[in-house]
Amino acid sequence: AQSVTQLDSQVPVFEEAPVELRCNYSSSVSVYLFWYVQYPNQGLQLLLKYLSGSTLVKGINGFEAEFNKSQTSFHLRKPSVHISDTAEYFCAAGNSNYQLIWGAGTKLIIKP
Amino acid sequence: KAGVTQTPRYLIKTRGQQVTLSCSPISGHRSVSWYQQTPGQGLQFLFEYFSETQRNKGNFPGRFSGRQFSNSRSEMNVSTLELGDSALYLCASSNGLAGVSHEQFFGPGTRLTVL
């Protein structure tokens, strides 16, 4: 079955600490991969996307993600988080039916 | 460029009623997708329209329907509302089909409360 799995529903982290949000996708989806962010009481916006080429993708607000084909993962990382990064993060992948498959989301909780 | 707009922003209905939500995509975008977001189920895909044709559909009952007009504006209709339909309904537009590497731009959502 086609699926995108976000392994953690919540990730608490101290301010200025590094963070990794994990995302695994089933091999039956295509290799178009996305991370979106939803700040409180707002719609979603694109953080970064992987279409092809370099496996390390840089996005907005200092986030980056690495595409790992052998592990079917697309984990999101930031070396130092800020209070303003408090949000829910969604991983998504495009499949062969041109449909976007979404993960369940990970809430990033920044502790002062 | 104006962003994706959704109307109304808030709506309160009672069980059994029907509701129509509207979405105006970014100018030039031909694809509009609809999502339901709830605390319990997260973000769930409803359907995607491209050039007035439904291209993809999620696992929702037939009470949920949609359409897209020639100017790419889209409406979503929910008939015979149930309490469980209370949610944030998000609309997103993109240049092409969402699953084909196209970035989606989301509106602020319509908050539907069913009493």
Side-chain angles (χ1 to χ4, degrees), chain A residues 30 32 34 36 38 43-44 46 49 51 88 90 94-95 97-100 102, chain B residues 35 37 43 45 48 56 88 90 97-104 106-107:
Chain A
S30 75
Y32 298 136
F34 307 82
Y36 282 82
Q38 185 178 31
L44 282 75
L46 182 70
K49 62 182 176 182
L51 306 181
E88 189 160 17
F90 293 90
N95 71 6
N97 291 329
Y98 312 120
Q99 185 178 2
L100 213 50
W102 291 84
Chain B
Y35 297 88
Q37 188 175 29
L43 191 67
F45 171 73
E48 179 178 17
N56 283 299
L88 181 67
L90 292 166
L97 289 171
V100 190
S101 78
H102 292 282
E103 176 182 354
Q104 287 194 302
F106 284 78

PDB file of all heavy atoms in Angstrom, chain A residues 30 32 34 36 38 43-44 46 49 51 88 90 94-95 97-100 102, chain B residues 35 37 43 45 48 56 88 90 97-104 106-107:
ATOM      1  N   SER A  30       6.034   7.726  -5.717  1.00  0.00           N
ATOM      2  CA  SER A  30       7.078   8.286  -6.581  1.00  0.00           C
ATOM      3  C   SER A  30       8.127   8.991  -5.730  1.00  0.00           C
ATOM      4  O   SER A  30       8.036   9.009  -4.510  1.00  0.00           O
ATOM      5  CB  SER A  30       6.461   9.274  -7.564  1.00  0.00           C
ATOM      6  OG  SER A  30       6.154  10.475  -6.893  1.00  0.00           O
ATOM      7  N   TYR A  32       8.771  12.202  -5.705  1.00  0.00           N
ATOM      8  CA  TYR A  32       8.521  13.613  -5.454  1.00  0.00           C
ATOM      9  C   TYR A  32       8.143  13.713  -3.985  1.00  0.00           C
ATOM     10  O   TYR A  32       7.115  13.191  -3.570  1.00  0.00           O
ATOM     11  CB  TYR A  32       7.365  14.121  -6.325  1.00  0.00           C
ATOM     12  CG  TYR A  32       7.630  14.025  -7.811  1.00  0.00           C
ATOM     13  CD1 TYR A  32       6.659  13.549  -8.675  1.00  0.00           C
ATOM     14  CD2 TYR A  32       8.840  14.428  -8.352  1.00  0.00           C
ATOM     15  CE1 TYR A  32       6.873  13.475 -10.037  1.00  0.00           C
ATOM     16  CE2 TYR A  32       9.069  14.356  -9.720  1.00  0.00           C
ATOM     17  CZ  TYR A  32       8.089  13.867 -10.556  1.00  0.00           C
ATOM     18  OH  TYR A  32       8.304  13.782 -11.903  1.00  0.00           O
ATOM     19  N   PHE A  34       7.890  16.106  -0.308  1.00  0.00           N
ATOM     20  CA  PHE A  34       7.649  17.451   0.173  1.00  0.00           C
ATOM     21  C   PHE A  34       7.593  17.485   1.702  1.00  0.00           C
ATOM     22  O   PHE A  34       7.184  16.516   2.341  1.00  0.00           O
ATOM     23  CB  PHE A  34       6.298  17.974  -0.338  1.00  0.00           C
ATOM     24  CG  PHE A  34       6.097  17.891  -1.817  1.00  0.00           C
ATOM     25  CD1 PHE A  34       5.680  16.703  -2.408  1.00  0.00           C
ATOM     26  CD2 PHE A  34       6.297  18.993  -2.622  1.00  0.00           C
ATOM     27  CE1 PHE A  34       5.489  16.616  -3.771  1.00  0.00           C
ATOM     28  CE2 PHE A  34       6.098  18.923  -3.993  1.00  0.00           C
ATOM     29  CZ  PHE A  34       5.688  17.739  -4.572  1.00  0.00           C
ATOM     30  N   TYR A  36       5.770  20.244   4.345  1.00  0.00           N
ATOM     31  CA  TYR A  36       4.970  21.449   4.537  1.00  0.00           C
ATOM     32  C   TYR A  36       4.922  21.760   6.029  1.00  0.00           C
ATOM     33  O   TYR A  36       5.007  20.881   6.870  1.00  0.00           O
ATOM     34  CB  TYR A  36       3.539  21.240   4.024  1.00  0.00           C
ATOM     35  CG  TYR A  36       3.390  21.334   2.531  1.00  0.00           C
ATOM     36  CD1 TYR A  36       3.678  20.242   1.716  1.00  0.00           C
ATOM     37  CD2 TYR A  36       2.954  22.516   1.928  1.00  0.00           C
ATOM     38  CE1 TYR A  36       3.537  20.338   0.329  1.00  0.00           C
ATOM     39  CE2 TYR A  36       2.805  22.611   0.552  1.00  0.00           C
ATOM     40  CZ  TYR A  36       3.104  21.519  -0.240  1.00  0.00           C
ATOM     41  OH  TYR A  36       2.959  21.617  -1.607  1.00  0.00           O
ATOM     42  N   GLN A  38       2.656  23.986   9.050  1.00  0.00           N
ATOM     43  CA  GLN A  38       1.426  24.698   9.397  1.00  0.00           C
ATOM     44  C   GLN A  38       1.636  25.390  10.733  1.00  0.00           C
ATOM     45  O   GLN A  38       1.681  24.727  11.779  1.00  0.00           O
ATOM     46  CB  GLN A  38       0.236  23.742   9.463  1.00  0.00           C
ATOM     47  CG  GLN A  38      -1.087  24.448   9.712  1.00  0.00           C
ATOM     48  CD  GLN A  38      -2.265  23.497   9.727  1.00  0.00           C
ATOM     49  OE1 GLN A  38      -2.147  22.335  10.110  1.00  0.00           O
ATOM     50  NE2 GLN A  38      -3.429  23.960   9.280  1.00  0.00           N
ATOM     51  N   GLY A  43      -2.891  28.286   7.317  1.00  0.00           N
ATOM     52  CA  GLY A  43      -2.861  27.201   6.340  1.00  0.00           C
ATOM     53  C   GLY A  43      -1.451  26.643   6.225  1.00  0.00           C
ATOM     54  O   GLY A  43      -0.532  27.110   6.882  1.00  0.00           O
ATOM     55  N   LEU A  44      -1.272  25.638   5.381  1.00  0.00           N
ATOM     56  CA  LEU A  44       0.041  25.022   5.211  1.00  0.00           C
ATOM     57  C   LEU A  44       0.863  25.802   4.188  1.00  0.00           C
ATOM     58  O   LEU A  44       0.314  26.415   3.279  1.00  0.00           O
ATOM     59  CB  LEU A  44      -0.106  23.587   4.699  1.00  0.00           C
ATOM     60  CG  LEU A  44      -0.503  22.517   5.696  1.00  0.00           C
ATOM     61  CD1 LEU A  44      -1.984  22.611   6.051  1.00  0.00           C
ATOM     62  CD2 LEU A  44      -0.191  21.137   5.135  1.00  0.00           C
ATOM     63  N   LEU A  46       4.774  25.464   1.900  1.00  0.00           N
ATOM     64  CA  LEU A  46       5.858  24.570   1.530  1.00  0.00           C
ATOM     65  C   LEU A  46       7.157  24.975   2.224  1.00  0.00           C
ATOM     66  O   LEU A  46       7.565  26.132   2.205  1.00  0.00           O
ATOM     67  CB  LEU A  46       6.060  24.609   0.015  1.00  0.00           C
ATOM     68  CG  LEU A  46       7.141  23.678  -0.536  1.00  0.00           C
ATOM     69  CD1 LEU A  46       6.682  22.220  -0.420  1.00  0.00           C
ATOM     70  CD2 LEU A  46       7.443  24.024  -1.992  1.00  0.00           C
ATOM     71  N   LYS A  49      11.172  20.794  -1.094  1.00  0.00           N
ATOM     72  CA  LYS A  49      10.735  19.651  -1.892  1.00  0.00           C
ATOM     73  C   LYS A  49      11.941  19.002  -2.564  1.00  0.00           C
ATOM     74  O   LYS A  49      12.949  19.667  -2.863  1.00  0.00           O
ATOM     75  CB  LYS A  49       9.705  20.067  -2.949  1.00  0.00           C
ATOM     76  CG  LYS A  49      10.217  21.071  -3.974  1.00  0.00           C
ATOM     77  CD  LYS A  49       9.084  21.447  -4.946  1.00  0.00           C
ATOM     78  CE  LYS A  49       9.550  22.525  -5.923  1.00  0.00           C
ATOM     79  NZ  LYS A  49       8.447  22.935  -6.842  1.00  0.00           N
ATOM     80  N   LEU A  51      12.754  16.801  -5.936  1.00  0.00           N
ATOM     81  CA  LEU A  51      12.250  16.312  -7.224  1.00  0.00           C
ATOM     82  C   LEU A  51      13.272  15.374  -7.858  1.00  0.00           C
ATOM     83  O   LEU A  51      12.931  14.317  -8.383  1.00  0.00           O
ATOM     84  CB  LEU A  51      11.958  17.489  -8.152  1.00  0.00           C
ATOM     85  CG  LEU A  51      11.024  18.572  -7.591  1.00  0.00           C
ATOM     86  CD1 LEU A  51      10.806  19.673  -8.622  1.00  0.00           C
ATOM     87  CD2 LEU A  51       9.695  17.963  -7.167  1.00  0.00           C
ATOM     88  N   GLU A  88       3.098  22.504  13.180  1.00  0.00           N
ATOM     89  CA  GLU A  88       2.941  21.098  12.793  1.00  0.00           C
ATOM     90  C   GLU A  88       3.569  20.927  11.411  1.00  0.00           C
ATOM     91  O   GLU A  88       3.379  21.767  10.532  1.00  0.00           O
ATOM     92  CB  GLU A  88       1.471  20.692  12.764  1.00  0.00           C
ATOM     93  CG  GLU A  88       1.271  19.207  12.578  1.00  0.00           C
ATOM     94  CD  GLU A  88      -0.100  18.726  13.019  1.00  0.00           C
ATOM     95  OE1 GLU A  88      -1.016  19.558  13.181  1.00  0.00           O
ATOM     96  OE2 GLU A  88      -0.256  17.496  13.194  1.00  0.00           O
ATOM     97  N   PHE A  90       4.273  18.471   8.050  1.00  0.00           N
ATOM     98  CA  PHE A  90       3.694  17.381   7.274  1.00  0.00           C
ATOM     99  C   PHE A  90       4.641  16.971   6.155  1.00  0.00           C
ATOM    100  O   PHE A  90       5.146  17.807   5.411  1.00  0.00           O
ATOM    101  CB  PHE A  90       2.362  17.807   6.645  1.00  0.00           C
ATOM    102  CG  PHE A  90       1.268  18.060   7.632  1.00  0.00           C
ATOM    103  CD1 PHE A  90       1.081  19.319   8.167  1.00  0.00           C
ATOM    104  CD2 PHE A  90       0.408  17.039   8.026  1.00  0.00           C
ATOM    105  CE1 PHE A  90       0.072  19.571   9.083  1.00  0.00           C
ATOM    106  CE2 PHE A  90      -0.609  17.271   8.935  1.00  0.00           C
ATOM    107  CZ  PHE A  90      -0.777  18.535   9.466  1.00  0.00           C
ATOM    108  N   GLY A  94       4.388  12.260  -3.867  1.00  0.00           N
ATOM    109  CA  GLY A  94       3.546  12.083  -5.045  1.00  0.00           C
ATOM    110  C   GLY A  94       3.611  10.649  -5.521  1.00  0.00           C
ATOM    111  O   GLY A  94       4.672  10.035  -5.493  1.00  0.00           O
ATOM    112  N   ASN A  95       2.469  10.101  -5.972  1.00  0.00           N
ATOM    113  CA  ASN A  95       2.467   8.711  -6.471  1.00  0.00           C
ATOM    114  C   ASN A  95       2.233   8.668  -7.972  1.00  0.00           C
ATOM    115  O   ASN A  95       2.076   9.693  -8.623  1.00  0.00           O
ATOM    116  CB  ASN A  95       1.442   7.871  -5.692  1.00  0.00           C
ATOM    117  CG  ASN A  95       0.008   8.224  -6.027  1.00  0.00           C
ATOM    118  OD1 ASN A  95      -0.252   9.026  -6.932  1.00  0.00           O
ATOM    119  ND2 ASN A  95      -0.929   7.629  -5.319  1.00  0.00           N
ATOM    120  N   ASN A  97      -0.244   7.890  -9.653  1.00  0.00           N
ATOM    121  CA  ASN A  97      -1.549   8.401 -10.088  1.00  0.00           C
ATOM    122  C   ASN A  97      -1.619   9.919  -9.968  1.00  0.00           C
ATOM    123  O   ASN A  97      -2.700  10.488 -10.011  1.00  0.00           O
ATOM    124  CB  ASN A  97      -2.675   7.784  -9.252  1.00  0.00           C
ATOM    125  CG  ASN A  97      -2.854   6.312  -9.540  1.00  0.00           C
ATOM    126  OD1 ASN A  97      -2.619   5.852 -10.659  1.00  0.00           O
ATOM    127  ND2 ASN A  97      -3.239   5.555  -8.525  1.00  0.00           N
ATOM    128  N   TYR A  98      -0.468  10.540  -9.808  1.00  0.00           N
ATOM    129  CA  TYR A  98      -0.376  11.998  -9.667  1.00  0.00           C
ATOM    130  C   TYR A  98      -1.140  12.493  -8.450  1.00  0.00           C
ATOM    131  O   TYR A  98      -1.650  13.607  -8.429  1.00  0.00           O
ATOM    132  CB  TYR A  98      -0.864  12.715 -10.937  1.00  0.00           C
ATOM    133  CG  TYR A  98      -0.258  12.143 -12.182  1.00  0.00           C
ATOM    134  CD1 TYR A  98      -1.051  11.603 -13.182  1.00  0.00           C
ATOM    135  CD2 TYR A  98       1.115  12.113 -12.358  1.00  0.00           C
ATOM    136  CE1 TYR A  98      -0.493  11.073 -14.325  1.00  0.00           C
ATOM    137  CE2 TYR A  98       1.689  11.587 -13.496  1.00  0.00           C
ATOM    138  CZ  TYR A  98       0.880  11.064 -14.477  1.00  0.00           C
ATOM    139  OH  TYR A  98       1.435  10.538 -15.608  1.00  0.00           O
ATOM    140  N   GLN A  99      -1.224  11.639  -7.424  1.00  0.00           N
ATOM    141  CA  GLN A  99      -1.890  12.014  -6.189  1.00  0.00           C
ATOM    142  C   GLN A  99      -0.840  12.250  -5.122  1.00  0.00           C
ATOM    143  O   GLN A  99       0.203  11.592  -5.111  1.00  0.00           O
ATOM    144  CB  GLN A  99      -2.830  10.887  -5.757  1.00  0.00           C
ATOM    145  CG  GLN A  99      -3.680  11.203  -4.557  1.00  0.00           C
ATOM    146  CD  GLN A  99      -4.616  10.053  -4.219  1.00  0.00           C
ATOM    147  OE1 GLN A  99      -4.591   9.017  -4.853  1.00  0.00           O
ATOM    148  NE2 GLN A  99      -5.423  10.228  -3.196  1.00  0.00           N
ATOM    149  N   LEU A 100      -1.145  13.189  -4.226  1.00  0.00           N
ATOM    150  CA  LEU A 100      -0.235  13.475  -3.128  1.00  0.00           C
ATOM    151  C   LEU A 100      -0.667  12.641  -1.926  1.00  0.00           C
ATOM    152  O   LEU A 100      -1.830  12.664  -1.528  1.00  0.00           O
ATOM    153  CB  LEU A 100      -0.311  14.959  -2.799  1.00  0.00           C
ATOM    154  CG  LEU A 100       0.928  15.675  -2.296  1.00  0.00           C
ATOM    155  CD1 LEU A 100       2.132  15.406  -3.167  1.00  0.00           C
ATOM    156  CD2 LEU A 100       0.669  17.167  -2.227  1.00  0.00           C
ATOM    157  N   TRP A 102      -0.192  11.982   2.062  1.00  0.00           N
ATOM    158  CA  TRP A 102       0.244  12.789   3.209  1.00  0.00           C
ATOM    159  C   TRP A 102       0.526  11.932   4.434  1.00  0.00           C
ATOM    160  O   TRP A 102      -0.156  10.936   4.691  1.00  0.00           O
ATOM    161  CB  TRP A 102      -0.837  13.812   3.567  1.00  0.00           C
ATOM    162  CG  TRP A 102      -1.005  14.886   2.538  1.00  0.00           C
ATOM    163  CD1 TRP A 102      -1.750  14.816   1.395  1.00  0.00           C
ATOM    164  CD2 TRP A 102      -0.420  16.185   2.562  1.00  0.00           C
ATOM    165  NE1 TRP A 102      -1.642  16.002   0.706  1.00  0.00           N
ATOM    166  CE2 TRP A 102      -0.843  16.857   1.390  1.00  0.00           C
ATOM    167  CE3 TRP A 102       0.427  16.848   3.443  1.00  0.00           C
ATOM    168  CZ2 TRP A 102      -0.454  18.168   1.094  1.00  0.00           C
ATOM    169  CZ3 TRP A 102       0.823  18.150   3.150  1.00  0.00           C
ATOM    170  CH2 TRP A 102       0.387  18.797   1.994  1.00  0.00           C
TER     171      TRP A 102
ATOM    172  N   TYR B  35      -9.054  19.471   1.379  1.00  0.00           N
ATOM    173  CA  TYR B  35      -8.648  18.621   2.491  1.00  0.00           C
ATOM    174  C   TYR B  35      -9.534  18.898   3.692  1.00  0.00           C
ATOM    175  O   TYR B  35     -10.010  20.005   3.895  1.00  0.00           O
ATOM    176  CB  TYR B  35      -7.201  18.915   2.909  1.00  0.00           C
ATOM    177  CG  TYR B  35      -6.172  18.620   1.849  1.00  0.00           C
ATOM    178  CD1 TYR B  35      -5.827  19.578   0.902  1.00  0.00           C
ATOM    179  CD2 TYR B  35      -5.538  17.386   1.805  1.00  0.00           C
ATOM    180  CE1 TYR B  35      -4.870  19.310  -0.075  1.00  0.00           C
ATOM    181  CE2 TYR B  35      -4.580  17.112   0.845  1.00  0.00           C
ATOM    182  CZ  TYR B  35      -4.252  18.077  -0.091  1.00  0.00           C
ATOM    183  OH  TYR B  35      -3.315  17.809  -1.051  1.00  0.00           O
ATOM    184  N   GLN B  37      -9.312  18.700   7.839  1.00  0.00           N
ATOM    185  CA  GLN B  37      -8.349  18.579   8.923  1.00  0.00           C
ATOM    186  C   GLN B  37      -9.071  18.571  10.266  1.00  0.00           C
ATOM    187  O   GLN B  37      -9.831  19.488  10.580  1.00  0.00           O
ATOM    188  CB  GLN B  37      -7.326  19.715   8.886  1.00  0.00           C
ATOM    189  CG  GLN B  37      -6.190  19.528   9.891  1.00  0.00           C
ATOM    190  CD  GLN B  37      -5.106  20.582   9.777  1.00  0.00           C
ATOM    191  OE1 GLN B  37      -5.356  21.716   9.381  1.00  0.00           O
ATOM    192  NE2 GLN B  37      -3.875  20.221  10.132  1.00  0.00           N
ATOM    193  N   LEU B  43      -4.805  15.457   8.615  1.00  0.00           N
ATOM    194  CA  LEU B  43      -5.093  16.026   7.300  1.00  0.00           C
ATOM    195  C   LEU B  43      -5.519  14.908   6.362  1.00  0.00           C
ATOM    196  O   LEU B  43      -4.764  13.964   6.126  1.00  0.00           O
ATOM    197  CB  LEU B  43      -3.834  16.700   6.767  1.00  0.00           C
ATOM    198  CG  LEU B  43      -3.949  17.574   5.526  1.00  0.00           C
ATOM    199  CD1 LEU B  43      -4.770  18.809   5.838  1.00  0.00           C
ATOM    200  CD2 LEU B  43      -2.559  17.981   5.043  1.00  0.00           C
ATOM    201  N   PHE B  45      -7.211  13.924   2.552  1.00  0.00           N
ATOM    202  CA  PHE B  45      -7.469  14.382   1.191  1.00  0.00           C
ATOM    203  C   PHE B  45      -8.905  14.062   0.793  1.00  0.00           C
ATOM    204  O   PHE B  45      -9.378  12.931   0.948  1.00  0.00           O
ATOM    205  CB  PHE B  45      -6.485  13.698   0.242  1.00  0.00           C
ATOM    206  CG  PHE B  45      -6.770  13.898  -1.212  1.00  0.00           C
ATOM    207  CD1 PHE B  45      -6.541  15.118  -1.815  1.00  0.00           C
ATOM    208  CD2 PHE B  45      -7.254  12.851  -1.978  1.00  0.00           C
ATOM    209  CE1 PHE B  45      -6.796  15.299  -3.162  1.00  0.00           C
ATOM    210  CE2 PHE B  45      -7.509  13.010  -3.329  1.00  0.00           C
ATOM    211  CZ  PHE B  45      -7.283  14.243  -3.921  1.00  0.00           C
ATOM    212  N   GLU B  48      -9.354  16.292  -5.803  1.00  0.00           N
ATOM    213  CA  GLU B  48      -8.595  17.252  -6.588  1.00  0.00           C
ATOM    214  C   GLU B  48      -9.275  17.455  -7.926  1.00  0.00           C
ATOM    215  O   GLU B  48      -9.685  16.491  -8.582  1.00  0.00           O
ATOM    216  CB  GLU B  48      -7.150  16.804  -6.813  1.00  0.00           C
ATOM    217  CG  GLU B  48      -6.326  17.783  -7.652  1.00  0.00           C
ATOM    218  CD  GLU B  48      -4.885  17.355  -7.840  1.00  0.00           C
ATOM    219  OE1 GLU B  48      -4.568  16.176  -7.622  1.00  0.00           O
ATOM    220  OE2 GLU B  48      -4.067  18.231  -8.208  1.00  0.00           O
ATOM    221  N   ASN B  56      -8.650  13.096  -8.788  1.00  0.00           N
ATOM    222  CA  ASN B  56      -8.359  12.183  -7.695  1.00  0.00           C
ATOM    223  C   ASN B  56      -9.405  12.360  -6.619  1.00  0.00           C
ATOM    224  O   ASN B  56      -9.958  13.454  -6.448  1.00  0.00           O
ATOM    225  CB  ASN B  56      -6.970  12.452  -7.097  1.00  0.00           C
ATOM    226  CG  ASN B  56      -5.862  11.907  -7.957  1.00  0.00           C
ATOM    227  OD1 ASN B  56      -5.782  10.706  -8.189  1.00  0.00           O
ATOM    228  ND2 ASN B  56      -5.005  12.779  -8.457  1.00  0.00           N
ATOM    229  N   LEU B  88     -11.723  21.743   9.976  1.00  0.00           N
ATOM    230  CA  LEU B  88     -11.167  22.825   9.162  1.00  0.00           C
ATOM    231  C   LEU B  88     -11.044  22.272   7.744  1.00  0.00           C
ATOM    232  O   LEU B  88     -10.425  21.225   7.540  1.00  0.00           O
ATOM    233  CB  LEU B  88      -9.800  23.242   9.692  1.00  0.00           C
ATOM    234  CG  LEU B  88      -9.095  24.381   8.943  1.00  0.00           C
ATOM    235  CD1 LEU B  88      -9.854  25.694   9.116  1.00  0.00           C
ATOM    236  CD2 LEU B  88      -7.652  24.536   9.431  1.00  0.00           C
ATOM    237  N   LEU B  90      -9.573  22.795   4.157  1.00  0.00           N
ATOM    238  CA  LEU B  90      -8.513  23.529   3.482  1.00  0.00           C
ATOM    239  C   LEU B  90      -8.589  23.319   1.985  1.00  0.00           C
ATOM    240  O   LEU B  90      -8.840  22.216   1.510  1.00  0.00           O
ATOM    241  CB  LEU B  90      -7.140  23.066   3.989  1.00  0.00           C
ATOM    242  CG  LEU B  90      -6.806  23.406   5.437  1.00  0.00           C
ATOM    243  CD1 LEU B  90      -5.595  22.612   5.906  1.00  0.00           C
ATOM    244  CD2 LEU B  90      -6.539  24.888   5.593  1.00  0.00           C
ATOM    245  N   LEU B  97      -1.091  19.065 -11.540  1.00  0.00           N
ATOM    246  CA  LEU B  97      -1.546  18.088 -10.555  1.00  0.00           C
ATOM    247  C   LEU B  97      -0.603  18.054  -9.361  1.00  0.00           C
ATOM    248  O   LEU B  97       0.616  18.034  -9.502  1.00  0.00           O
ATOM    249  CB  LEU B  97      -1.639  16.705 -11.200  1.00  0.00           C
ATOM    250  CG  LEU B  97      -2.781  16.540 -12.205  1.00  0.00           C
ATOM    251  CD1 LEU B  97      -2.659  15.220 -12.937  1.00  0.00           C
ATOM    252  CD2 LEU B  97      -4.125  16.645 -11.503  1.00  0.00           C
ATOM    253  N   ALA B  98      -1.184  17.995  -8.181  1.00  0.00           N
ATOM    254  CA  ALA B  98      -0.413  18.118  -6.942  1.00  0.00           C
ATOM    255  C   ALA B  98       0.666  17.061  -6.819  1.00  0.00           C
ATOM    256  O   ALA B  98       1.750  17.321  -6.310  1.00  0.00           O
ATOM    257  CB  ALA B  98      -1.352  18.045  -5.746  1.00  0.00           C
ATOM    258  N   GLY B  99       0.390  15.843  -7.285  1.00  0.00           N
ATOM    259  CA  GLY B  99       1.334  14.755  -7.087  1.00  0.00           C
ATOM    260  C   GLY B  99       2.482  14.735  -8.079  1.00  0.00           C
ATOM    261  O   GLY B  99       3.366  13.889  -7.988  1.00  0.00           O
ATOM    262  N   VAL B 100       2.473  15.674  -9.006  1.00  0.00           N
ATOM    263  CA  VAL B 100       3.515  15.691 -10.039  1.00  0.00           C
ATOM    264  C   VAL B 100       4.448  16.867  -9.793  1.00  0.00           C
ATOM    265  O   VAL B 100       4.556  17.756 -10.624  1.00  0.00           O
ATOM    266  CB  VAL B 100       2.909  15.782 -11.452  1.00  0.00           C
ATOM    267  CG1 VAL B 100       3.973  15.562 -12.521  1.00  0.00           C
ATOM    268  CG2 VAL B 100       1.799  14.780 -11.600  1.00  0.00           C
ATOM    269  N   SER B 101       5.042  16.873  -8.654  1.00  0.00           N
ATOM    270  CA  SER B 101       6.089  17.834  -8.285  1.00  0.00           C
ATOM    271  C   SER B 101       5.623  19.280  -8.166  1.00  0.00           C
ATOM    272  O   SER B 101       6.436  20.176  -8.009  1.00  0.00           O
ATOM    273  CB  SER B 101       7.266  17.759  -9.251  1.00  0.00           C
ATOM    274  OG  SER B 101       6.974  18.446 -10.469  1.00  0.00           O
ATOM    275  N   HIS B 102       4.321  19.486  -8.234  1.00  0.00           N
ATOM    276  CA  HIS B 102       3.872  20.870  -8.177  1.00  0.00           C
ATOM    277  C   HIS B 102       3.593  21.294  -6.750  1.00  0.00           C
ATOM    278  O   HIS B 102       2.873  20.616  -6.009  1.00  0.00           O
ATOM    279  CB  HIS B 102       2.608  21.055  -9.012  1.00  0.00           C
ATOM    280  CG  HIS B 102       2.857  20.910 -10.481  1.00  0.00           C
ATOM    281  ND1 HIS B 102       3.434  21.909 -11.227  1.00  0.00           N
ATOM    282  CD2 HIS B 102       2.632  19.883 -11.327  1.00  0.00           C
ATOM    283  CE1 HIS B 102       3.548  21.489 -12.488  1.00  0.00           C
ATOM    284  NE2 HIS B 102       3.071  20.282 -12.569  1.00  0.00           N
ATOM    285  N   GLU B 103       4.127  22.435  -6.359  1.00  0.00           N
ATOM    286  CA  GLU B 103       3.902  22.976  -5.023  1.00  0.00           C
ATOM    287  C   GLU B 103       2.446  23.376  -4.885  1.00  0.00           C
ATOM    288  O   GLU B 103       1.863  23.967  -5.802  1.00  0.00           O
ATOM    289  CB  GLU B 103       4.781  24.207  -4.794  1.00  0.00           C
ATOM    290  CG  GLU B 103       4.531  24.902  -3.458  1.00  0.00           C
ATOM    291  CD  GLU B 103       5.370  26.137  -3.268  1.00  0.00           C
ATOM    292  OE1 GLU B 103       6.240  26.415  -4.131  1.00  0.00           O
ATOM    293  OE2 GLU B 103       5.161  26.839  -2.252  1.00  0.00           O
ATOM    294  N   GLN B 104       1.873  23.056  -3.735  1.00  0.00           N
ATOM    295  CA  GLN B 104       0.512  23.473  -3.457  1.00  0.00           C
ATOM    296  C   GLN B 104       0.532  24.719  -2.583  1.00  0.00           C
ATOM    297  O   GLN B 104       1.325  24.816  -1.646  1.00  0.00           O
ATOM    298  CB  GLN B 104      -0.248  22.357  -2.730  1.00  0.00           C
ATOM    299  CG  GLN B 104      -0.594  21.201  -3.635  1.00  0.00           C
ATOM    300  CD  GLN B 104      -1.622  20.291  -3.004  1.00  0.00           C
ATOM    301  OE1 GLN B 104      -1.419  19.754  -1.922  1.00  0.00           O
ATOM    302  NE2 GLN B 104      -2.744  20.109  -3.674  1.00  0.00           N
ATOM    303  N   PHE B 106      -1.802  26.859  -0.051  1.00  0.00           N
ATOM    304  CA  PHE B 106      -2.997  26.635   0.743  1.00  0.00           C
ATOM    305  C   PHE B 106      -3.684  27.935   1.128  1.00  0.00           C
ATOM    306  O   PHE B 106      -3.041  28.953   1.380  1.00  0.00           O
ATOM    307  CB  PHE B 106      -2.646  25.877   2.027  1.00  0.00           C
ATOM    308  CG  PHE B 106      -2.400  24.417   1.811  1.00  0.00           C
ATOM    309  CD1 PHE B 106      -1.201  23.962   1.293  1.00  0.00           C
ATOM    310  CD2 PHE B 106      -3.390  23.489   2.116  1.00  0.00           C
ATOM    311  CE1 PHE B 106      -0.975  22.600   1.080  1.00  0.00           C
ATOM    312  CE2 PHE B 106      -3.171  22.131   1.916  1.00  0.00           C
ATOM    313  CZ  PHE B 106      -1.966  21.695   1.396  1.00  0.00           C
ATOM    314  N   GLY B 107      -5.010  27.861   1.212  1.00  0.00           N
ATOM    315  CA  GLY B 107      -5.777  28.947   1.772  1.00  0.00           C
ATOM    316  C   GLY B 107      -5.828  28.833   3.282  1.00  0.00           C
ATOM    317  O   GLY B 107      -5.322  27.861   3.853  1.00  0.00           O
TER     318      GLY B 107
END
